[in-house]
Amino acid sequence: GGVLALASYPTFDLSTLYSNQANYDAVSEDPLKPLYNRAILGTYSPGSTFKMVTATAGLAEGVITTTSTIQDRGIYENVSNHPRCWAYPRTHGVINVSQAIRDSCNYFFYEVGFRLAGSGNYSDAAGIEKIQKYAAMYGLTEKTGIELVENTSQIATEYPVMAAIGQSDNNLTTIGLARYVTAVANSGTVYNLSLLNKVTDKDGNVLETFGSSVKNQIDVLDASEWSAIHSGMRM
């Protein structure tokens, strides 16, 4: 939960920023907005980085298992917009969840999103509710707790098949994504993030201490299911 590095681009030279008014004006008026900290304020479509949320939801809800397979047919025809896997006209063949993470297979996760929405009794709202539920477990619906002004991510509100691959209207912060992937890596511990260690007075006396803390523990997957997600990420 301790933030070791935090970077935004384009950058600026802090040592000269306030040296004269011209320097400050040049940076503050730059159309690329170097003073806007994209790491904590910018929100972006997460794309395939979101697929571990969908894998978690699929495994926890029982619509897939670690060994069940789905055949990538290139064009997904269960929804009207007929989205394609990124590899089309090639396909990823018959794959399980670990291999789907390895290949970042859109088709596999379209199908998981469809199953979360009820498959034969398809409900857009039901599918979105499940995706939002598991995104919330990873802290993606809340700020991270870092001691700076940060934005809040938005989890998709429609089209669960597209939301399942990080599209639809998913709009996440980079710092939120970083915390989420940390939780994936450590099998479900979500931390409140912290940049600070302590505040001292001029004599070195500690006035206040800071540090990360555990926000919540994701306990919906067993060890074999975490292992399947980890295996896919390593591959």
Side-chain angles (χ1 to χ4, degrees):
V3 177
L4 304 182
L6 185 74
S8 183
Y9 188 84
T11 189
F12 57 90
D13 187 346
L14 185 60
S15 68
T16 61
L17 180 63
Y18 299 108
S19 60
N20 59 61
Q21 189 66 40
N23 280 353
Y24 180 79
D25 289 346
V27 173
S28 62
E29 295 169 8
D30 186 329
L32 295 178
K33 299 182 178 180
L35 295 179
Y36 183 77
N37 192 331
R38 288 166 170 82
I40 56 176
L41 295 173
T43 55
Y44 310 95
S45 176
S48 294
T49 61
F50 193 78
K51 287 172 178 171
M52 291 82 73
V53 172
T54 306
T56 302
L59 290 166
E61 293 291 326
V63 301
I64 58 170
T65 69
T66 59
T67 58
S68 59
T69 58
I70 292 170
Q71 182 173 356
D72 176 5
R73 300 181 186 276
I75 300 175
Y76 191 73
E77 297 185 345
N78 284 335
V79 289
S80 61
N81 62 322
H82 293 173
R84 297 180 176 186
C85 188
W86 67 265
Y88 183 83
R90 297 182 296 108
T91 76
H92 295 115
V94 178
I95 52 176
N96 61 30
V97 66
S98 300
Q99 295 162 331
I101 293 171
R102 176 196 67 194
D103 297 335
S104 193
C105 179
N106 288 352
Y107 191 102
F108 185 98
F109 288 102
Y110 291 147
E111 175 63 16
V112 175
F114 186 71
R115 292 180 186 184
L116 289 170
S119 298
N121 298 309
Y122 181 88
S123 165
D124 192 278
I128 285 297
E129 182 181 5
K130 289 188 177 74
I131 288 171
Q132 291 176 340
K133 171 185 173 181
Y134 290 93
M137 289 183 187
Y138 280 112
L140 288 171
T141 58
E142 301 174 50
K143 295 179 179 180
T144 67
I146 198 170
E147 300 92 350
L148 293 169
V149 176
E150 62 176 314
N151 255 331
T152 304
S153 298
Q154 175 186 296
I155 304 304
T157 61
E158 58 184 358
Y159 311 131
V161 169
M162 303 310 297
I165 67 161
Q167 295 183 7
S168 183
D169 56 344
N170 277 308
N171 209 23
L172 310 185
T173 64
T174 305
I175 190 88
L177 284 172
R179 172 167 75 165
Y180 141 62
V181 174
T182 298
V184 171
N186 67 36
S187 301
T189 303
V190 181
Y191 286 96
N192 296 304
L193 302 187
S194 179
L195 275 172
L196 304 180
N197 184 321
K198 61 187 175 182
V199 173
T200 68
D201 63 18
K202 62 183 178 63
D203 299 316
N205 298 308
V206 176
L207 302 178
E208 189 173 0
T209 58
F210 298 84
S212 61
S213 58
V214 174
K215 176 186 176 295
N216 64 278
Q217 183 73 41
I218 300 170
D219 57 4
V220 296
L221 300 182
D222 63 27
S224 67
E225 291 166 332
W226 282 118
S227 180
I229 294 175
H230 292 167
S231 174
M233 292 291 282
R234 290 190 184 99
M235 289 191 288

